[in-house]
PDB file of all heavy atoms in Angstrom:
ATOM      1  N   GLU G 262      19.900  33.616 -11.739  1.00 98.00           N
ATOM      2  CA  GLU G 262      21.386  33.764 -11.512  1.00 98.00           C
ATOM      3  C   GLU G 262      21.390  34.795 -10.305  1.00 98.00           C
ATOM      4  O   GLU G 262      20.505  35.591  -9.983  1.00 98.00           O
ATOM      5  CB  GLU G 262      22.023  34.334 -12.692  1.00 98.00           C
ATOM      6  CG  GLU G 262      23.511  34.483 -12.599  1.00 98.00           C
ATOM      7  CD  GLU G 262      24.302  33.228 -12.118  1.00 98.00           C
ATOM      8  OE1 GLU G 262      24.329  33.080 -10.916  1.00 98.00           O
ATOM      9  OE2 GLU G 262      24.831  32.514 -13.040  1.00 98.00           O
ATOM     10  N   VAL G 263      22.606  34.795  -9.690  1.00 98.00           N
ATOM     11  CA  VAL G 263      22.982  35.769  -8.627  1.00 98.00           C
ATOM     12  C   VAL G 263      24.223  36.535  -9.071  1.00 98.00           C
ATOM     13  O   VAL G 263      25.276  35.949  -9.399  1.00 98.00           O
ATOM     14  CB  VAL G 263      23.207  35.038  -7.249  1.00 98.00           C
ATOM     15  CG1 VAL G 263      23.601  36.048  -6.233  1.00 98.00           C
ATOM     16  CG2 VAL G 263      21.940  34.281  -6.858  1.00 98.00           C
ATOM     17  N   VAL G 264      24.123  37.822  -8.910  1.00 98.00           N
ATOM     18  CA  VAL G 264      25.232  38.704  -9.294  1.00 98.00           C
ATOM     19  C   VAL G 264      25.722  39.383  -7.967  1.00 98.00           C
ATOM     20  O   VAL G 264      24.938  39.585  -7.069  1.00 98.00           O
ATOM     21  CB  VAL G 264      24.771  39.747 -10.285  1.00 98.00           C
ATOM     22  CG1 VAL G 264      25.839  40.807 -10.532  1.00 98.00           C
ATOM     23  CG2 VAL G 264      24.456  39.147 -11.635  1.00 98.00           C
ATOM     24  N   VAL G 265      27.016  39.659  -7.936  1.00 98.00           N
ATOM     25  CA  VAL G 265      27.599  40.325  -6.624  1.00 98.00           C
ATOM     26  C   VAL G 265      27.937  41.751  -6.992  1.00 98.00           C
ATOM     27  O   VAL G 265      28.646  41.978  -7.969  1.00 98.00           O
ATOM     28  CB  VAL G 265      28.765  39.527  -6.128  1.00 98.00           C
ATOM     29  CG1 VAL G 265      29.374  40.223  -4.880  1.00 98.00           C
ATOM     30  CG2 VAL G 265      28.380  38.125  -5.787  1.00 98.00           C
ATOM     31  N   ALA G 266      27.582  42.752  -6.095  1.00 98.00           N
ATOM     32  CA  ALA G 266      27.852  44.089  -6.311  1.00 98.00           C
ATOM     33  C   ALA G 266      28.594  44.649  -5.181  1.00 98.00           C
ATOM     34  O   ALA G 266      28.341  44.351  -3.966  1.00 98.00           O
ATOM     35  CB  ALA G 266      26.561  44.928  -6.508  1.00 98.00           C
ATOM     36  N   GLY G 267      29.681  45.453  -5.459  1.00 98.00           N
ATOM     37  CA  GLY G 267      30.421  46.096  -4.415  1.00 98.00           C
ATOM     38  C   GLY G 267      30.175  47.587  -4.339  1.00 98.00           C
ATOM     39  O   GLY G 267      29.136  48.100  -4.987  1.00 98.00           O
ATOM     40  N   ASP G 268      30.831  48.315  -3.512  1.00 98.00           N
ATOM     41  CA  ASP G 268      30.577  49.712  -3.246  1.00 98.00           C
ATOM     42  C   ASP G 268      30.687  50.632  -4.532  1.00 98.00           C
ATOM     43  O   ASP G 268      29.887  51.487  -4.764  1.00 98.00           O
ATOM     44  CB  ASP G 268      31.476  50.297  -2.159  1.00 98.00           C
ATOM     45  CG  ASP G 268      31.033  49.784  -0.804  1.00 98.00           C
ATOM     46  OD1 ASP G 268      29.909  49.271  -0.574  1.00 98.00           O
ATOM     47  OD2 ASP G 268      31.798  50.040   0.217  1.00 98.00           O
ATOM     48  N   PHE G 269      31.716  50.275  -5.372  1.00 97.00           N
ATOM     49  CA  PHE G 269      31.766  51.072  -6.588  1.00 97.00           C
ATOM     50  C   PHE G 269      30.523  50.878  -7.457  1.00 97.00           C
ATOM     51  O   PHE G 269      30.129  51.782  -8.191  1.00 97.00           O
ATOM     52  CB  PHE G 269      33.093  50.660  -7.385  1.00 97.00           C
ATOM     53  CG  PHE G 269      34.312  51.222  -6.781  1.00 97.00           C
ATOM     54  CD1 PHE G 269      35.286  50.366  -6.149  1.00 97.00           C
ATOM     55  CD2 PHE G 269      34.606  52.573  -6.736  1.00 97.00           C
ATOM     56  CE1 PHE G 269      36.421  50.819  -5.583  1.00 97.00           C
ATOM     57  CE2 PHE G 269      35.736  53.064  -6.116  1.00 97.00           C
ATOM     58  CZ  PHE G 269      36.686  52.208  -5.595  1.00 97.00           C
ATOM     59  N   ASP G 270      29.992  49.607  -7.491  1.00 98.00           N
ATOM     60  CA  ASP G 270      28.790  49.408  -8.271  1.00 98.00           C
ATOM     61  C   ASP G 270      27.686  50.151  -7.691  1.00 98.00           C
ATOM     62  O   ASP G 270      26.809  50.603  -8.506  1.00 98.00           O
ATOM     63  CB  ASP G 270      28.515  47.911  -8.239  1.00 98.00           C
ATOM     64  CG  ASP G 270      29.607  46.996  -8.781  1.00 98.00           C
ATOM     65  OD1 ASP G 270      30.128  47.348  -9.876  1.00 98.00           O
ATOM     66  OD2 ASP G 270      30.052  46.117  -8.083  1.00 98.00           O
ATOM     67  N   VAL G 271      27.599  50.300  -6.476  1.00 98.00           N
ATOM     68  CA  VAL G 271      26.538  51.087  -5.778  1.00 98.00           C
ATOM     69  C   VAL G 271      26.526  52.523  -6.321  1.00 98.00           C
ATOM     70  O   VAL G 271      25.512  53.162  -6.739  1.00 98.00           O
ATOM     71  CB  VAL G 271      26.586  51.032  -4.281  1.00 98.00           C
ATOM     72  CG1 VAL G 271      25.611  52.032  -3.682  1.00 98.00           C
ATOM     73  CG2 VAL G 271      26.232  49.601  -3.789  1.00 98.00           C
ATOM     74  N   VAL G 272      27.780  53.091  -6.245  1.00 98.00           N
ATOM     75  CA  VAL G 272      27.873  54.581  -6.627  1.00 98.00           C
ATOM     76  C   VAL G 272      27.530  54.712  -8.124  1.00 98.00           C
ATOM     77  O   VAL G 272      26.781  55.628  -8.517  1.00 98.00           O
ATOM     78  CB  VAL G 272      29.326  55.006  -6.372  1.00 98.00           C
ATOM     79  CG1 VAL G 272      29.547  56.409  -6.924  1.00 98.00           C
ATOM     80  CG2 VAL G 272      29.644  55.020  -4.888  1.00 98.00           C
ATOM     81  N   ASP G 273      28.052  53.762  -8.967  1.00 98.00           N
ATOM     82  CA  ASP G 273      27.649  53.821 -10.421  1.00 98.00           C
ATOM     83  C   ASP G 273      26.135  53.690 -10.531  1.00 98.00           C
ATOM     84  O   ASP G 273      25.551  54.318 -11.403  1.00 98.00           O
ATOM     85  CB  ASP G 273      28.379  52.711 -11.119  1.00 98.00           C
ATOM     86  CG  ASP G 273      29.870  52.968 -11.314  1.00 98.00           C
ATOM     87  OD1 ASP G 273      30.248  54.039 -11.140  1.00 98.00           O
ATOM     88  OD2 ASP G 273      30.636  52.012 -11.695  1.00 98.00           O
ATOM     89  N   GLY G 274      25.541  52.768  -9.835  1.00 98.00           N
ATOM     90  CA  GLY G 274      24.068  52.576  -9.947  1.00 98.00           C
ATOM     91  C   GLY G 274      23.315  53.744  -9.431  1.00 98.00           C
ATOM     92  O   GLY G 274      22.263  54.063 -10.078  1.00 98.00           O
ATOM     93  N   LEU G 275      23.769  54.443  -8.423  1.00 98.00           N
ATOM     94  CA  LEU G 275      23.038  55.611  -8.007  1.00 98.00           C
ATOM     95  C   LEU G 275      23.074  56.794  -9.047  1.00 98.00           C
ATOM     96  O   LEU G 275      22.103  57.365  -9.370  1.00 98.00           O
ATOM     97  CB  LEU G 275      23.708  56.248  -6.726  1.00 98.00           C
ATOM     98  CG  LEU G 275      23.469  55.447  -5.466  1.00 98.00           C
ATOM     99  CD1 LEU G 275      24.350  56.017  -4.339  1.00 98.00           C
ATOM    100  CD2 LEU G 275      21.972  55.538  -5.025  1.00 98.00           C
ATOM    101  N   ARG G 276      24.241  56.884  -9.732  1.00 98.00           N
ATOM    102  CA  ARG G 276      24.315  57.868 -10.868  1.00 98.00           C
ATOM    103  C   ARG G 276      23.473  57.411 -12.001  1.00 98.00           C
ATOM    104  O   ARG G 276      22.712  58.269 -12.597  1.00 98.00           O
ATOM    105  CB  ARG G 276      25.814  57.918 -11.283  1.00 98.00           C
ATOM    106  CG  ARG G 276      26.722  58.642 -10.369  1.00 98.00           C
ATOM    107  CD  ARG G 276      27.980  59.039 -11.072  1.00 98.00           C
ATOM    108  NE  ARG G 276      28.880  59.733 -10.088  1.00 98.00           N
ATOM    109  CZ  ARG G 276      29.982  59.240  -9.569  1.00 98.00           C
ATOM    110  NH1 ARG G 276      30.298  57.938  -9.768  1.00 98.00           N
ATOM    111  NH2 ARG G 276      30.728  59.962  -8.670  1.00 98.00           N
ATOM    112  N   GLU G 277      23.450  56.179 -12.382  1.00 98.00           N
ATOM    113  CA  GLU G 277      22.612  55.662 -13.497  1.00 98.00           C
ATOM    114  C   GLU G 277      21.146  55.893 -13.124  1.00 98.00           C
ATOM    115  O   GLU G 277      20.300  56.271 -14.019  1.00 98.00           O
ATOM    116  CB  GLU G 277      22.901  54.156 -13.748  1.00 98.00           C
ATOM    117  CG  GLU G 277      22.171  53.554 -14.878  1.00 98.00           C
ATOM    118  CD  GLU G 277      22.583  54.131 -16.220  1.00 98.00           C
ATOM    119  OE1 GLU G 277      23.585  54.860 -16.310  1.00 98.00           O
ATOM    120  OE2 GLU G 277      21.808  53.897 -17.184  1.00 98.00           O
ATOM    121  N   GLY G 278      20.716  55.543 -11.832  1.00 98.00           N
ATOM    122  CA  GLY G 278      19.378  55.783 -11.491  1.00 98.00           C
ATOM    123  C   GLY G 278      18.893  57.253 -11.673  1.00 98.00           C
ATOM    124  O   GLY G 278      17.866  57.501 -12.108  1.00 98.00           O
ATOM    125  N   LEU G 279      19.768  58.166 -11.249  1.00 98.00           N
ATOM    126  CA  LEU G 279      19.399  59.592 -11.332  1.00 98.00           C
ATOM    127  C   LEU G 279      19.306  59.984 -12.834  1.00 98.00           C
ATOM    128  O   LEU G 279      18.508  60.778 -13.143  1.00 98.00           O
ATOM    129  CB  LEU G 279      20.502  60.441 -10.633  1.00 98.00           C
ATOM    130  CG  LEU G 279      20.423  60.382  -9.072  1.00 98.00           C
ATOM    131  CD1 LEU G 279      21.596  61.125  -8.430  1.00 98.00           C
ATOM    132  CD2 LEU G 279      19.127  60.879  -8.575  1.00 98.00           C
ATOM    133  N   ARG G 280      20.190  59.446 -13.635  1.00 98.00           N
ATOM    134  CA  ARG G 280      20.027  59.716 -15.080  1.00 98.00           C
ATOM    135  C   ARG G 280      18.765  59.321 -15.659  1.00 98.00           C
ATOM    136  O   ARG G 280      18.278  59.920 -16.655  1.00 98.00           O
ATOM    137  CB  ARG G 280      21.274  59.124 -15.814  1.00 98.00           C
ATOM    138  CG  ARG G 280      22.615  59.842 -15.725  1.00 98.00           C
ATOM    139  CD  ARG G 280      23.618  59.317 -16.752  1.00 98.00           C
ATOM    140  NE  ARG G 280      24.117  58.033 -16.477  1.00 98.00           N
ATOM    141  CZ  ARG G 280      25.193  57.761 -15.681  1.00 98.00           C
ATOM    142  NH1 ARG G 280      25.853  58.767 -15.239  1.00 98.00           N
ATOM    143  NH2 ARG G 280      25.612  56.519 -15.436  1.00 98.00           N
ATOM    144  N   LEU G 281      18.195  58.243 -15.062  1.00 98.00           N
ATOM    145  CA  LEU G 281      16.899  57.753 -15.546  1.00 98.00           C
ATOM    146  C   LEU G 281      15.773  58.447 -14.801  1.00 98.00           C
ATOM    147  O   LEU G 281      14.562  58.195 -15.038  1.00 98.00           O
ATOM    148  CB  LEU G 281      16.839  56.278 -15.430  1.00 98.00           C
ATOM    149  CG  LEU G 281      17.801  55.428 -16.253  1.00 98.00           C
ATOM    150  CD1 LEU G 281      17.714  54.025 -15.955  1.00 98.00           C
ATOM    151  CD2 LEU G 281      17.580  55.693 -17.686  1.00 98.00           C
ATOM    152  N   GLY G 282      16.087  59.290 -13.791  1.00 98.00           N
ATOM    153  CA  GLY G 282      14.985  59.955 -13.073  1.00 98.00           C
ATOM    154  C   GLY G 282      14.580  59.253 -11.869  1.00 98.00           C
ATOM    155  O   GLY G 282      13.554  59.660 -11.263  1.00 98.00           O
ATOM    156  N   PHE G 283      15.346  58.265 -11.367  1.00 98.00           N
ATOM    157  CA  PHE G 283      14.932  57.500 -10.174  1.00 98.00           C
ATOM    158  C   PHE G 283      15.760  57.901  -8.951  1.00 98.00           C
ATOM    159  O   PHE G 283      17.018  57.810  -8.963  1.00 98.00           O
ATOM    160  CB  PHE G 283      15.158  56.028 -10.395  1.00 98.00           C
ATOM    161  CG  PHE G 283      14.435  55.428 -11.657  1.00 98.00           C
ATOM    162  CD1 PHE G 283      15.144  54.603 -12.558  1.00 98.00           C
ATOM    163  CD2 PHE G 283      13.156  55.814 -11.876  1.00 98.00           C
ATOM    164  CE1 PHE G 283      14.424  54.133 -13.681  1.00 98.00           C
ATOM    165  CE2 PHE G 283      12.434  55.331 -12.954  1.00 98.00           C
ATOM    166  CZ  PHE G 283      13.138  54.429 -13.893  1.00 98.00           C
ATOM    167  N   ILE G 284      15.120  58.393  -7.954  1.00 98.00           N
ATOM    168  CA  ILE G 284      15.764  58.765  -6.621  1.00 98.00           C
ATOM    169  C   ILE G 284      15.760  57.555  -5.678  1.00 98.00           C
ATOM    170  O   ILE G 284      14.739  57.410  -5.000  1.00 98.00           O
ATOM    171  CB  ILE G 284      15.139  60.021  -6.073  1.00 98.00           C
ATOM    172  CG1 ILE G 284      15.068  61.175  -7.052  1.00 98.00           C
ATOM    173  CG2 ILE G 284      15.876  60.472  -4.766  1.00 98.00           C
ATOM    174  CD1 ILE G 284      14.354  62.481  -6.545  1.00 98.00           C
ATOM    175  N   ILE G 285      16.699  56.706  -5.784  1.00 98.00           N
ATOM    176  CA  ILE G 285      16.729  55.535  -5.107  1.00 98.00           C
ATOM    177  C   ILE G 285      17.837  55.522  -4.054  1.00 98.00           C
ATOM    178  O   ILE G 285      18.825  56.257  -4.179  1.00 98.00           O
ATOM    179  CB  ILE G 285      16.925  54.323  -6.057  1.00 98.00           C
ATOM    180  CG1 ILE G 285      18.140  54.509  -6.975  1.00 98.00           C
ATOM    181  CG2 ILE G 285      15.678  54.130  -6.898  1.00 98.00           C
ATOM    182  CD1 ILE G 285      18.479  53.243  -7.861  1.00 98.00           C
ATOM    183  N   GLU G 286      17.759  54.561  -3.065  1.00 97.00           N
ATOM    184  CA  GLU G 286      18.817  54.387  -2.059  1.00 97.00           C
ATOM    185  C   GLU G 286      19.852  53.447  -2.548  1.00 97.00           C
ATOM    186  O   GLU G 286      19.702  52.736  -3.581  1.00 97.00           O
ATOM    187  CB  GLU G 286      18.132  53.896  -0.776  1.00 97.00           C
ATOM    188  CG  GLU G 286      17.651  52.514  -0.860  1.00 97.00           C
ATOM    189  CD  GLU G 286      17.042  52.085   0.509  1.00 97.00           C
ATOM    190  OE1 GLU G 286      16.938  52.910   1.427  1.00 97.00           O
ATOM    191  OE2 GLU G 286      16.654  50.910   0.632  1.00 97.00           O
ATOM    192  N   PRO G 287      21.001  53.498  -1.808  1.00 97.00           N
ATOM    193  CA  PRO G 287      22.128  52.616  -2.265  1.00 97.00           C
ATOM    194  C   PRO G 287      21.780  51.161  -2.421  1.00 97.00           C
ATOM    195  O   PRO G 287      22.286  50.391  -3.429  1.00 97.00           O
ATOM    196  CB  PRO G 287      23.177  52.740  -1.167  1.00 97.00           C
ATOM    197  CG  PRO G 287      22.904  54.195  -0.601  1.00 97.00           C
ATOM    198  CD  PRO G 287      21.396  54.296  -0.742  1.00 97.00           C
ATOM    199  N   THR G 288      20.951  50.534  -1.627  1.00 97.00           N
ATOM    200  CA  THR G 288      20.587  49.132  -1.765  1.00 97.00           C
ATOM    201  C   THR G 288      19.869  48.880  -3.129  1.00 97.00           C
ATOM    202  O   THR G 288      20.087  47.909  -3.776  1.00 97.00           O
ATOM    203  CB  THR G 288      19.610  48.743  -0.610  1.00 97.00           C
ATOM    204  OG1 THR G 288      20.274  48.828   0.624  1.00 97.00           O
ATOM    205  CG2 THR G 288      19.149  47.300  -0.787  1.00 97.00           C
ATOM    206  N   SER G 289      19.038  49.793  -3.545  1.00 98.00           N
ATOM    207  CA  SER G 289      18.360  49.610  -4.871  1.00 98.00           C
ATOM    208  C   SER G 289      19.285  49.730  -6.032  1.00 98.00           C
ATOM    209  O   SER G 289      19.081  49.131  -7.016  1.00 98.00           O
ATOM    210  CB  SER G 289      17.221  50.679  -5.001  1.00 98.00           C
ATOM    211  OG  SER G 289      16.178  50.499  -4.160  1.00 98.00           O
ATOM    212  N   ALA G 290      20.309  50.509  -5.857  1.00 98.00           N
ATOM    213  CA  ALA G 290      21.197  50.821  -6.953  1.00 98.00           C
ATOM    214  C   ALA G 290      22.017  49.632  -7.428  1.00 98.00           C
ATOM    215  O   ALA G 290      22.530  49.692  -8.528  1.00 98.00           O
ATOM    216  CB  ALA G 290      22.211  51.921  -6.562  1.00 98.00           C
ATOM    217  N   VAL G 291      22.027  48.548  -6.624  1.00 98.00           N
ATOM    218  CA  VAL G 291      22.843  47.388  -7.103  1.00 98.00           C
ATOM    219  C   VAL G 291      22.306  46.709  -8.291  1.00 98.00           C
ATOM    220  O   VAL G 291      22.990  45.938  -9.030  1.00 98.00           O
ATOM    221  CB  VAL G 291      22.970  46.339  -5.924  1.00 98.00           C
ATOM    222  CG1 VAL G 291      23.607  46.918  -4.687  1.00 98.00           C
ATOM    223  CG2 VAL G 291      21.631  45.777  -5.524  1.00 98.00           C
ATOM    224  N   VAL G 292      20.977  46.890  -8.602  1.00 98.00           N
ATOM    225  CA  VAL G 292      20.386  46.238  -9.719  1.00 98.00           C
ATOM    226  C   VAL G 292      21.110  46.609 -11.054  1.00 98.00           C
ATOM    227  O   VAL G 292      21.086  45.768 -12.005  1.00 98.00           O
ATOM    228  CB  VAL G 292      18.910  46.508  -9.873  1.00 98.00           C
ATOM    229  CG1 VAL G 292      18.145  45.985  -8.662  1.00 98.00           C
ATOM    230  CG2 VAL G 292      18.668  48.073  -9.970  1.00 98.00           C
ATOM    231  N   PHE G 293      21.611  47.762 -11.101  1.00 98.00           N
ATOM    232  CA  PHE G 293      22.292  48.168 -12.393  1.00 98.00           C
ATOM    233  C   PHE G 293      23.540  47.321 -12.680  1.00 98.00           C
ATOM    234  O   PHE G 293      23.945  47.209 -13.903  1.00 98.00           O
ATOM    235  CB  PHE G 293      22.607  49.596 -12.393  1.00 98.00           C
ATOM    236  CG  PHE G 293      21.354  50.526 -12.454  1.00 98.00           C
ATOM    237  CD1 PHE G 293      20.834  51.060 -11.289  1.00 98.00           C
ATOM    238  CD2 PHE G 293      20.699  50.792 -13.621  1.00 98.00           C
ATOM    239  CE1 PHE G 293      19.683  51.829 -11.298  1.00 98.00           C
ATOM    240  CE2 PHE G 293      19.579  51.501 -13.723  1.00 98.00           C
ATOM    241  CZ  PHE G 293      19.014  52.086 -12.500  1.00 98.00           C
ATOM    242  N   LYS G 294      24.180  46.732 -11.643  1.00 98.00           N
ATOM    243  CA  LYS G 294      25.274  45.849 -11.852  1.00 98.00           C
ATOM    244  C   LYS G 294      24.821  44.608 -12.639  1.00 98.00           C
ATOM    245  O   LYS G 294      25.558  44.213 -13.567  1.00 98.00           O
ATOM    246  CB  LYS G 294      25.845  45.446 -10.519  1.00 98.00           C
ATOM    247  CG  LYS G 294      26.962  44.288 -10.587  1.00 98.00           C
ATOM    248  CD  LYS G 294      28.168  44.759 -11.328  1.00 98.00           C
ATOM    249  CE  LYS G 294      29.261  43.632 -11.416  1.00 98.00           C
ATOM    250  NZ  LYS G 294      29.731  43.181 -10.189  1.00 98.00           N
ATOM    251  N   ALA G 295      23.709  44.127 -12.265  1.00 98.00           N
ATOM    252  CA  ALA G 295      23.164  42.957 -13.029  1.00 98.00           C
ATOM    253  C   ALA G 295      22.808  43.217 -14.518  1.00 98.00           C
ATOM    254  O   ALA G 295      23.067  42.441 -15.435  1.00 98.00           O
ATOM    255  CB  ALA G 295      21.876  42.404 -12.280  1.00 98.00           C
ATOM    256  N   LEU G 296      22.299  44.445 -14.689  1.00 98.00           N
ATOM    257  CA  LEU G 296      21.906  44.840 -16.156  1.00 98.00           C
ATOM    258  C   LEU G 296      23.233  45.014 -16.892  1.00 98.00           C
ATOM    259  O   LEU G 296      23.326  44.588 -18.069  1.00 98.00           O
ATOM    260  CB  LEU G 296      21.158  46.092 -16.141  1.00 98.00           C
ATOM    261  CG  LEU G 296      19.819  46.094 -15.436  1.00 98.00           C
ATOM    262  CD1 LEU G 296      19.156  47.502 -15.496  1.00 98.00           C
ATOM    263  CD2 LEU G 296      18.936  45.006 -15.998  1.00 98.00           C
ATOM    264  N   ARG G 297      24.330  45.518 -16.324  1.00 98.00           N
ATOM    265  CA  ARG G 297      25.604  45.658 -17.023  1.00 98.00           C
ATOM    266  C   ARG G 297      26.208  44.369 -17.281  1.00 98.00           C
ATOM    267  O   ARG G 297      26.798  44.103 -18.359  1.00 98.00           O
ATOM    268  CB  ARG G 297      26.482  46.651 -16.293  1.00 98.00           C
ATOM    269  CG  ARG G 297      26.108  48.083 -16.272  1.00 98.00           C
ATOM    270  CD  ARG G 297      27.283  48.892 -15.764  1.00 98.00           C
ATOM    271  NE  ARG G 297      27.687  48.546 -14.429  1.00 98.00           N
ATOM    272  CZ  ARG G 297      27.145  49.110 -13.307  1.00 98.00           C
ATOM    273  NH1 ARG G 297      26.147  49.972 -13.383  1.00 98.00           N
ATOM    274  NH2 ARG G 297      27.553  48.685 -12.131  1.00 98.00           N
ATOM    275  N   GLU G 298      26.231  43.435 -16.247  1.00 98.00           N
ATOM    276  CA  GLU G 298      26.978  42.215 -16.377  1.00 98.00           C
ATOM    277  C   GLU G 298      26.247  41.158 -17.130  1.00 98.00           C
ATOM    278  O   GLU G 298      26.926  40.518 -18.021  1.00 98.00           O
ATOM    279  CB  GLU G 298      27.209  41.684 -14.867  1.00 98.00           C
ATOM    280  CG  GLU G 298      28.052  40.454 -14.905  1.00 98.00           C
ATOM    281  CD  GLU G 298      28.467  40.030 -13.448  1.00 98.00           C
ATOM    282  OE1 GLU G 298      28.865  40.935 -12.673  1.00 98.00           O
ATOM    283  OE2 GLU G 298      28.276  38.860 -13.123  1.00 98.00           O
ATOM    284  N   LEU G 299      24.969  41.069 -17.041  1.00 98.00           N
ATOM    285  CA  LEU G 299      24.262  39.933 -17.733  1.00 98.00           C
ATOM    286  C   LEU G 299      23.587  40.374 -18.999  1.00 98.00           C
ATOM    287  O   LEU G 299      23.272  39.582 -19.795  1.00 98.00           O
ATOM    288  CB  LEU G 299      23.209  39.411 -16.738  1.00 98.00           C
ATOM    289  CG  LEU G 299      23.779  38.688 -15.512  1.00 98.00           C
ATOM    290  CD1 LEU G 299      22.607  38.072 -14.696  1.00 98.00           C
ATOM    291  CD2 LEU G 299      24.794  37.630 -15.816  1.00 98.00           C
ATOM    292  N   LYS G 300      23.255  41.717 -19.112  1.00 97.00           N
ATOM    293  CA  LYS G 300      22.501  42.270 -20.264  1.00 97.00           C
ATOM    294  C   LYS G 300      21.352  41.342 -20.666  1.00 97.00           C
ATOM    295  O   LYS G 300      21.246  40.788 -21.750  1.00 97.00           O
ATOM    296  CB  LYS G 300      23.453  42.350 -21.445  1.00 97.00           C
ATOM    297  CG  LYS G 300      24.627  43.312 -21.261  1.00 97.00           C
ATOM    298  CD  LYS G 300      25.547  43.416 -22.382  1.00 97.00           C
ATOM    299  CE  LYS G 300      26.626  44.473 -22.225  1.00 97.00           C
ATOM    300  NZ  LYS G 300      27.510  44.262 -21.150  1.00 97.00           N
ATOM    301  N   PRO G 301      20.392  41.179 -19.749  1.00 97.00           N
ATOM    302  CA  PRO G 301      19.218  40.266 -19.955  1.00 97.00           C
ATOM    303  C   PRO G 301      18.419  40.735 -21.196  1.00 97.00           C
ATOM    304  O   PRO G 301      18.158  41.866 -21.385  1.00 97.00           O
ATOM    305  CB  PRO G 301      18.458  40.415 -18.682  1.00 97.00           C
ATOM    306  CG  PRO G 301      18.798  41.661 -18.049  1.00 97.00           C
ATOM    307  CD  PRO G 301      20.220  41.900 -18.395  1.00 97.00           C
ATOM    308  N   SER G 302      18.056  39.765 -21.952  1.00 94.00           N
ATOM    309  CA  SER G 302      17.288  40.075 -23.197  1.00 94.00           C
ATOM    310  C   SER G 302      15.842  39.609 -23.012  1.00 94.00           C
ATOM    311  O   SER G 302      15.455  38.858 -22.096  1.00 94.00           O
ATOM    312  CB  SER G 302      17.885  39.302 -24.390  1.00 94.00           C
ATOM    313  OG  SER G 302      17.809  37.865 -24.157  1.00 94.00           O
ATOM    314  N   GLY G 303      14.942  40.140 -23.833  1.00 95.00           N
ATOM    315  CA  GLY G 303      13.550  39.790 -23.659  1.00 95.00           C
ATOM    316  C   GLY G 303      12.893  40.799 -22.613  1.00 95.00           C
ATOM    317  O   GLY G 303      13.484  41.780 -22.225  1.00 95.00           O
TER     318      GLY G 303
END
């Protein structure tokens, strides 16, 4: 599947990454949108 992330999702993702100890750039932060939206299992 393909998920679409906007700027607000990037900011949320950066915060989430830091809470988990990951110092990532804005491009990397979009992955958290997919985790929130799809909640992949397994």
Side-chain angles (χ1 to χ4, degrees):
E262 183 55 277
V263 179
V264 172
V265 179
D268 284 348
F269 286 112
D270 300 311
V271 170
V272 175
D273 287 344
L275 288 170
R276 290 197 178 102
E277 183 66 14
L279 288 173
R280 282 194 288 267
L281 297 176
F283 303 135
I284 303 175
I285 53 175
E286 67 180 6
T288 298
S289 292
V291 300
V292 294
F293 291 98
K294 171 66 180 299
L296 298 181
R297 289 193 301 271
E298 185 171 312
L299 299 182
K300 298 179 175 60
S302 59

